[in-house]
Amino acid sequence: MTDREKTSAIHREISALGKNLKERYPILKNQNAIGFGIFTFAIAMIVLAAWAYFTGRAATWAIILWIAFWTSILHELEHDLIHYLYFKNNRFLHNLMLLGVWIFRPLTLNPWLRRHLHLYHHKYSGTATDLEERGVTNGQKWGILRFLSTPDLILASVLNSRNMRHEIGQLYREGKFSKEDIDNLRKTSMFGFWPFGIPLHLVWYSFVLYYLVLGLTSLMAIQLTPPAWLQSYIGFVTPLVVLLIAPNLIRQFCLHFITSNMHYYGDVERGNIMQQTQVLNAWWLFPLQLFCFNFGSTHTIHHFVVQETFYIRQLTARQAHVILHNYGVRFNDLGTFGRANRYKGEMAA
Ligand SMILES: [Zn+2]
Ligand SMILES: [Zn+2]
């Protein structure tokens, strides 16, 4: 069997799993209502945590982890919305949901701009032009820089921007990017992290710097009293850090770590889905999967069956894994960490 034949067999068999499930439980056919229900419930859980924080009813660390979990579900909804799986024919509700999942995950790229990058990702996953995955460190050699830029999209793009700009120009001249791709990239780099991302990253860096300086000076037994305006600024931004920034950084670390290592990079045959991803579901990854809604286990299924919602994918994952395994899709290929995510082996330049 060729890879193309395997791909269509996997697509057929996994699609049937979802279809059968919906025949057995017809309630699952109410896709828009289910999506909207999950959306409102997840946001309600985050608002509940904010209430618990402001009334002092729960420990700060518990609030941060709780919100990180619910934002991981909002990420799945964003991804489904990018594929137009909810309210395709109701622009108002569709865009309202996209706005909602962005506001509660405000460190991320504008989802309307991400859509172009993501649909592109499906076509050319694992190649040089797959900037969505490369933007979250896929294909880089493992080290301290990759570790630091794993949760932080701004840091990752700053560290990469000089090389990337050159490379993107080159790829455009080679005809691998269209004019439309370049226009979208330009918009993404100028507006993608406004109005939320850039200001909130600045808040985060100032917050870290403040406590770093206080910590270091107290270690050196230096008495340092920050000016009143600075103290009140930190008091003002602390709820933002607890309720939005810290949970999303944790979630993004988990998601980006998993996604950038379950996608292959560099020596993937253009358009060959069999080579694009592996299933990453080793038991010890559980703490990371918890904050990216089991992404390592289910995203490979998505590459084969794009038009299915995340909750159906979760419900049928166990049977889908058997199918993937039978056709030779890789599972828990941990060698990827040493190969900078190359599919075949030795790392090219
Ligand atoms: Zn997708
Ligand atoms: Zn993917």
Side-chain angles (χ1 to χ4, degrees), residues 118 121-122 125 133 263 277 299 303:
H118 184 71
H121 163 72
H122 277 284
S125 181
E133 273 309 313
H263 286 92
T277 59
H299 186 68
H303 272 241

Side-chain angles (χ1 to χ4, degrees), residues 36-50:
F36 201 75
I38 297 171
F39 171 76
T40 28
F41 190 73
I43 290 176
M45 290 299 108
I46 295 171
V47 172
L48 179 74

Side-chain angles (χ1 to χ4, degrees), residues 83-148:
H83 287 290
Y84 296 99
L85 296 186
Y86 309 112
F87 297 109
K88 195 174 178 186
N89 300 315
N90 184 333
R91 272 174 72 171
F92 175 75
L93 282 177
H94 179 85
N95 288 326
L96 179 79
M97 284 182 77
L98 265 183
L99 180 67
V101 297
W102 190 25
I103 286 176
F104 288 94
R105 296 159 43 266
L107 306 181
T108 58
L109 198 59
N110 173 322
W112 289 274
L113 293 172
R114 185 188 161 213
R115 179 174 275 148
H116 185 94
L117 280 176
H118 184 71
L119 298 180
Y120 195 95
H121 163 72
H122 277 284
K123 278 195 243 158
Y124 303 117
S125 181
T127 66
T129 52
D130 179 11
L131 297 181
E132 181 178 59
E133 273 309 313
R134 294 185 72 190
V136 294
T137 75
N138 175 233
Q140 294 176 20
K141 231 175 138 167
W142 262 103
I144 186 75
L145 282 183
R146 179 164 175 178
F147 183 80
L148 286 176

